[in-house]
Amino acid sequence: AAVLLGLVDRGAGLQVILTKRSSRLKHHPGQIALPGGKLDGGDADLTAAALREAWEEVGLQRHHVEVLGHLPCHETVTSFTVTPVVALVDAGFVPRAEPGEVEEVFEVPLAHLADPANYQIQGRRWRGQTRYYYTVPYGPYYIWGATARMLRGLAERLQP
């Protein structure tokens, strides 16, 4: 699987594009996520998958994107290997949430996500054992799990 870690400059510093998944979804309903999903047969590679998913979920057209590279893969507790694709997004991009998958599209300042002090480690019982995970709350949004771990990986890479 692949996700798009889209960075957009709206004039007040870089922002990261995130989604709130539809509460009607079978998997991870209502959770905060980066646009993305599984590799499909028509996808040339993981970058193509992330770009296709971003188009489907938030209406991000390819001509609004400059791919910068990839972050290391992350394995989720549900055994998915996810590759974050980092990209600059044109400031003219206007998000459009796909109502079947996405409840809301919003942006979080990269400065907030790049500060390791904003991350916490929390735990909960899952399948009979305590699992620990990162959280990085922002306003009304509870960003946690794989999304927070990928963002934490970006934060670590941005440290001097």
Side-chain angles (χ1 to χ4, degrees):
V3 294
L4 187 73
L5 204 159
L7 306 169
V8 60
D9 189 348
R10 304 276 189 201
L14 290 173
Q15 307 287 312
V16 176
I17 300 167
L18 291 166
T19 67
K20 181 175 182 185
R21 292 171 52 85
S22 171
S23 57
R24 296 182 305 270
L25 291 173
K26 180 179 177 181
H27 299 291
H28 312 291
Q31 290 185 9
I32 305 304
L34 294 159
K38 296 178 188 175
L39 190 70
D40 280 353
D43 296 326
D45 55 24
L46 291 168
T47 298
L51 294 172
R52 176 186 49 75
E53 288 282 350
W55 161 246
E56 292 173 3
E57 293 179 14
V58 302
L60 180 56
Q61 296 178 339
R62 178 66 178 96
H63 69 271
H64 283 291
V65 179
E66 177 188 346
V67 174
L68 301 176
H70 301 91
L71 291 177
C73 298
H74 290 266
E75 187 172 331
T76 68
V77 296
T78 53
S79 298
F80 276 98
T81 300
V82 181
T83 299
V85 178
V86 181
L88 287 177
V89 176
D90 186 274
F93 163 63
V94 178
R96 172 207 37 83
E98 196 290 309
E101 293 186 61
V102 177
E103 202 165 289
E104 180 183 358
V105 181
F106 64 98
E107 297 170 5
V108 176
L110 178 60
H112 177 79
L113 299 171
D115 185 349
N118 290 327
Y119 291 79
Q120 303 164 12
I121 296 177
Q122 296 182 356
R124 69 168 57 149
R125 301 280 297 164
W126 190 71
R127 294 187 178 173
Q129 59 180 228
T130 302
R131 306 289 272 200
Y132 294 96
Y133 53 89
Y134 282 111
T135 66
V136 59
Y138 180 75
Y141 304 106
Y142 181 71
I143 307 165
W144 70 287
T147 300
R149 193 169 68 245
M150 287 182 261
L151 294 170
R152 171 71 184 201
L154 176 65
E156 289 171 358
R157 291 177 93 76
L158 294 174
Q159 294 305 302

